[in-house]
Amino acid sequence: MKALQSFRSGGVDWVSIFSLLIIALALLGVLKIFSGSDTAGSDFAVVAPRDRGVPDSAGGAAHPDQSRGAGPAQHPRDAHKENSGEPGALEMKSVDLLGVSVQLREMRTETEDGGAGEIRNIEFFIREGIRPRRLFDDASQLVTGHWPLFHNNVGYGATTVRILYQLVDTDTDGDGVLTKADRKSLAFSLPDGSRYRVLDRDVGEISNMNYLSDSNELHLDISVGGEIQRRVYSLATGSR
């Protein structure tokens, strides 16, 4: 009791001052905690929320472009149809040509069950960066067959030097559609589709062929009216 009285001597209440000091220190600690949380939050940049699109009916998220009014994503098959530039949607079927860096692409119609239909045009692809060449300007003809003609038919030295085509481009039976029943034409080109030339018209079904590369002659057995005719064509002059 005497110590407490001596502690308060001089008219100064040291106990009160000590208590106030403790309270002040406690308040400073609390303020430091709150200010520390604000400082931590300032280390992170404000990031705008990502555009997740509009949920579709199945509960998933639509593509952001769809939420902005764009159409649905294309199927790769549909992309071929659009890039073909042809009405009626043509399918691509690729065929590698032996001995040359050219890919032949059959541009076919699509059947009702989704299968490959008739060949309406042919495209020649060389490599990326070079626009593919098309044999015809449109899909108004029907290609009933095509065959590569080789420089050497033996072993691994065979090289495609010409391509032979059989096609229908005129409705000769008057039924309003092009079919294999119409009269056919015979034509050929180089492996890249260039130098297209018609050899003959009103040609029947080809039953056998032999290409002599040394003389550049094409020997064909053709069925005409139930009979087999032997025809010889010079591909150098494009005539019989």
Side-chain angles (χ1 to χ4, degrees):
M1 190 65 179
K2 289 182 179 181
L4 183 58
Q5 288 178 352
S6 63
F7 191 75
R8 291 179 178 177
S9 63
V12 179
D13 190 351
W14 293 104
V15 175
S16 299
I17 293 174
F18 187 75
S19 300
L20 291 174
L21 182 61
I22 294 176
I23 293 172
L25 291 175
L27 289 174
L28 287 175
V30 172
L31 290 174
K32 187 175 180 180
I33 292 174
F34 280 104
S35 62
S37 61
D38 293 339
T39 303
S42 64
D43 292 338
F44 298 92
V46 177
V47 180
R50 295 179 58 188
D51 186 358
R52 301 183 182 275
V54 180
D56 58 18
S57 58
H63 192 277
D65 291 340
Q66 291 182 345
S67 65
R68 295 182 177 90
Q74 276 190 329
H75 190 281
R77 185 182 66 181
D78 297 330
H80 275 302
K81 295 176 184 178
E82 181 180 354
N83 294 336
S84 69
E86 306 284 357
L90 299 181
E91 295 284 346
M92 292 286 193
K93 181 180 179 182
S94 300
V95 178
D96 291 326
L97 298 177
L98 193 62
V100 293
S101 300
V102 179
Q103 187 181 71
L104 183 150
R105 295 174 173 176
E106 300 173 346
M107 301 177 68
R108 292 176 172 265
T109 58
E110 185 176 320
T111 60
E112 293 181 356
D113 59 358
E118 302 168 331
I119 304 174
R120 289 291 181 165
N121 205 343
I122 294 177
E123 185 176 87
F124 299 88
F125 175 80
I126 299 177
R127 67 175 184 271
E128 295 294 340
I130 297 180
R131 184 175 182 178
R133 179 196 301 271
R134 291 185 181 175
L135 195 60
F136 307 107
D137 294 332
D138 53 34
S140 61
Q141 55 284 313
L142 170 64
V143 181
T144 59
H146 60 83
W147 303 268
L149 304 177
F150 303 109
H151 172 65
N152 181 5
N153 291 321
V154 181
Y156 294 99
T159 301
T160 305
V161 293
R162 300 283 191 280
I163 300 177
L164 181 68
Y165 311 95
Q166 193 171 39
L167 63 139
V168 175
D169 54 11
T170 305
D171 178 23
T172 56
D173 60 7
D175 62 355
V177 293
L178 298 182
T179 65
K180 292 182 178 180
D182 293 308
R183 295 173 185 172
K184 302 174 183 65
S185 297
L186 200 64
F188 72 98
S189 77
L190 293 181
D192 63 353
S194 62
R195 298 188 184 180
Y196 176 82
R197 191 168 185 176
V198 176
L199 274 176
D200 204 352
R201 297 194 179 274
D202 195 11
V203 178
E205 294 294 333
I206 298 175
S207 61
N208 188 37
M209 73 172 64
N210 185 23
Y211 174 63
L212 305 178
S213 60
D214 292 338
S215 58
N216 205 13
E217 288 185 347
L218 181 64
H219 295 241
L220 297 178
D221 290 340
I222 299 175
S223 177
V224 179
E227 297 181 356
I228 300 297
Q229 296 182 2
R230 171 63 62 88
R231 298 184 185 181
V232 179
Y233 299 92
S234 171
L235 299 190
T237 62
S239 60
R240 292 175 61 179

